[in-house]
Amino acid sequence: MGMSEDTPGIVVTGVSGRMGQMLVRVIRESGRARLVGAVERAGHDWIGRDLGEAMGGAPIGVTVTDDPLQAFARAQAVIDFTAPAATVEFAALAAQARAVHVIGTTGLSDDDLARIRAAARHAVIIRAGNMSLGVNLLVQLTRKVAAALDEDWDIEIVEAHHRHKVDAPSGTALMLGEAAAEGRGKPLQDLRDPAREGITGPRQRGHIGFAAIRGGDVVGEHDVIFAADGERIVLRHVATDRAIFARGALRAALWGQDKKPGEYDMLDVLGL
């Protein structure tokens, strides 16, 4: 690839997944980073194979491994869109390797987040429920609009994703809910109405409602609806290509190279 050794080396975890393969392509096409490792879970049939061949193409000289520590030792950054249990383990190992850990994993529990925070004392961790520029702009707009409108305006967050997504509401929907709650000066857990069913009674004033749609190959759609008597404001983001998340994650990995240990998010990376 003719890239010098001082180009940051990146490891992709969960490399066989849809996001994993997209990250590999985006990193290799970028010219701004080297792919130096590929991690999959133990027992996966890609282990020990050349990543390029496993992806159905020409060999690229990177062997898929189930040993994250060994892979991370050579890396300046780890990009991780996997599952909560794996991500927590990777956070500790990336911190040990002093590699920037970019986390796109969603569905993390409070306990998971506490362990990630502990790892961030020793290394740079950039975590976001969504890596796209457009969504992070939408987060800022949501906070501003929520702050400008009083509780006569009901807030509903509706999200749609492909049939394979395992968590709901999406990490992005929760980010938007947090922004709306911040705009209103309250924590989201005090205002959150999860999916409604049955005889729920009337909507509670000031609450933030969530609805999740799952089907087909939808990459991601998010609507923040502010509804009052006689008018509605709808803020909407539609993702049509998973590459936007991969490009955002790569941007985060490069941005984190000269930063002090700590937890950051995409608003930091994008300077929003």
Side-chain angles (χ1 to χ4, degrees), residues 124-197:
V124 173
I125 294 183
I126 302 160
R127 187 179 66 81
N130 192 304
M131 303 271 170
S132 93
L133 172 58
V135 159
N136 283 281
L137 201 51
L138 178 62
V139 167
Q140 297 293 69
L141 290 171
T142 298
R143 189 181 293 116
K144 282 207 163 75
V145 175
L149 301 175
D150 65 17
E151 291 191 347
D152 288 339
W153 294 77
D154 299 321
I155 302 177
E156 293 282 305
I157 296 168
V158 182
E159 54 97 348
H161 283 86
H162 52 89
R163 64 170 73 96
H164 304 288
K165 187 164 177 63
V166 297
D167 55 317
S170 66
T172 305
L174 291 170
M175 262 169 66
L176 292 165
E178 272 163 18
E182 274 170 32
R184 293 208 153 155
K186 292 184 179 150
L188 179 61
Q189 65 259 30
D190 294 359
L191 306 179
R192 180 177 166 182
D193 277 343
R196 302 185 188 95
E197 190 183 351

Side-chain angles (χ1 to χ4, degrees), residues 73-127:
R74 296 192 299 274
Q76 281 74 57
V78 174
I79 302 182
D80 173 23
F81 286 72
T82 55
T87 289
V88 168
E89 185 190 330
F90 294 149
L93 297 175
Q96 229 174 297
R98 297 292 183 266
V100 172
H101 187 194
V102 178
I103 301 175
T105 305
T106 58
L108 296 157
S109 70
D110 289 344
D111 180 51
D112 297 332
L113 294 174
R115 291 167 68 187
I116 288 167
R117 199 170 307 120
R121 288 203 291 272
H122 308 286
V124 173
I125 294 183
I126 302 160
R127 187 179 66 81

Side-chain angles (χ1 to χ4, degrees), residues 21-32:
Q21 295 192 51
M22 178 62 76
L23 284 161
V24 168
R25 285 193 285 273
V26 164
I27 291 164
R28 285 178 53 78
E29 286 162 12
S30 74
R32 293 182 301 157

